[in-house]
Amino acid sequence: MTINTPLDRKDKKDKNEKMLFLYKFFRAPKQIGSVTPSSRFLARKMVEAVPWPEIRYTAELGAGTGAITKFIHNARNHPGKFILFERDALLRGRLSQMYPDYTCYPDATQITNALQSEGIPHLDCILSGLPFFNFEQSVRDKLLEQILLSLRPGGWFVAFQYSFQMKKQLKEHFNIESINFVPYNIPPAFVYVCRKEQLSDLF
């Protein structure tokens, strides 16, 4: 008789998650952006950048298989709303099963509409795993417009990318607090920690 330990079940789940992610990458590489889910090192680096006691309303863009979602879920230590965005229908369905208390939307270019539906006045923090490098410039512009419209003044935008390609455009719209390199990820990634300008910054 074979006995599956919790560690065995976790390894099997991780393997299945990676296989699903790889399958989705080959089906839509521009949408997925990577051949494997984000590592725990990348997830931790993103989550530790956020001052969670100050955060009530949160969104994650490009939640995928939930590799970063679970770290955000564990870091949020007080009531508030957390909404997810994932274009792929299968991954979105899995996220809804894993996190039934969170609403998952298909289109990150419609953040403000989602906030209206949820009765959320603004977002305090947005974490993103979207592969901006793969998108047309018009899509990047639309995403950043929605992010800026939905974030409160002084709100946080934390995003990982695989290059410095987005640095110039992010700098045009945010104060970049730091850019952190995460070598233990496939591929290695940069975590951009950005803040929307506060009203006091404008005077």
Side-chain angles (χ1 to χ4, degrees):
M1 181 177 66
T2 301
I3 300 176
N4 290 322
T5 67
L7 184 59
D8 292 332
R9 290 193 292 270
K10 182 180 184 302
D11 289 342
K12 184 177 181 180
K13 181 180 177 182
D14 290 345
K15 184 177 180 181
N16 290 340
E17 183 177 290
K18 289 178 181 178
M19 291 300 295
L20 175 61
F21 206 89
L22 184 62
Y23 168 74
K24 288 296 181 180
F25 173 80
F26 284 121
R27 289 289 298 270
K30 287 191 175 182
Q31 180 179 318
I32 300 299
S34 174
V35 297
T36 187
S38 302
S39 71
R40 66 182 185 275
F41 303 101
L42 177 56
R44 285 171 180 158
K45 183 60 69 173
M46 292 188 69
V47 170
E48 72 183 17
V50 179
W52 291 106
E54 304 172 14
I55 306 300
R56 181 171 177 81
Y57 302 114
T58 313
E60 182 187 1
L61 314 183
T65 59
I68 295 175
T69 312
K70 59 187 174 185
F71 283 85
I72 302 172
H73 174 77
N74 291 334
R76 295 173 67 250
N77 54 7
H78 56 83
K81 286 193 175 182
F82 180 22
I83 58 175
L84 308 174
F85 290 84
E86 173 52 50
R87 180 172 292 278
D88 185 271
L90 176 59
L91 297 180
R92 193 167 63 250
R94 289 180 80 251
L95 288 166
S96 295
Q97 290 180 345
M98 294 165 63
Y99 302 101
D101 293 336
Y102 305 152
T103 309
C104 193
Y105 289 88
D107 191 353
T109 65
Q110 300 294 325
I111 301 175
T112 52
N113 288 343
L115 297 189
Q116 187 173 7
S117 297
E118 295 292 317
I120 296 175
H122 59 255
L123 290 170
D124 301 305
C125 178
I126 298 175
L127 297 99
S128 173
L130 293 175
F132 280 88
F133 180 82
N134 294 342
F135 300 152
E136 298 290 337
Q137 186 61 51
S138 59
V139 177
R140 294 179 204 162
D141 293 342
K142 179 65 174 176
L143 286 166
L144 286 175
E145 177 188 50
Q146 285 288 296
I147 290 165
L148 285 164
L149 285 172
S150 60
L151 273 178
R152 64 167 171 81
W156 296 83
F157 177 54
V158 182
F160 77 82
Q161 298 290 290
Y162 300 122
S163 71
F164 288 118
Q165 187 257 357
M166 281 297 294
K167 181 178 179 180
K168 180 179 179 181
Q169 190 168 7
L170 289 174
K171 195 172 182 179
E172 291 174 356
H173 299 288
F174 298 94
N175 294 322
I176 299 179
E177 303 285 318
S178 65
I179 302 175
N180 303 308
F181 180 58
V182 181
Y184 300 113
N185 191 72
I186 301 175
F190 297 92
V191 174
Y192 290 78
V193 181
C194 308
R195 292 192 76 181
K196 182 178 176 178
E197 288 187 336
Q198 303 185 69
L199 294 178
S200 60
D201 295 332
L202 302 177
F203 300 97

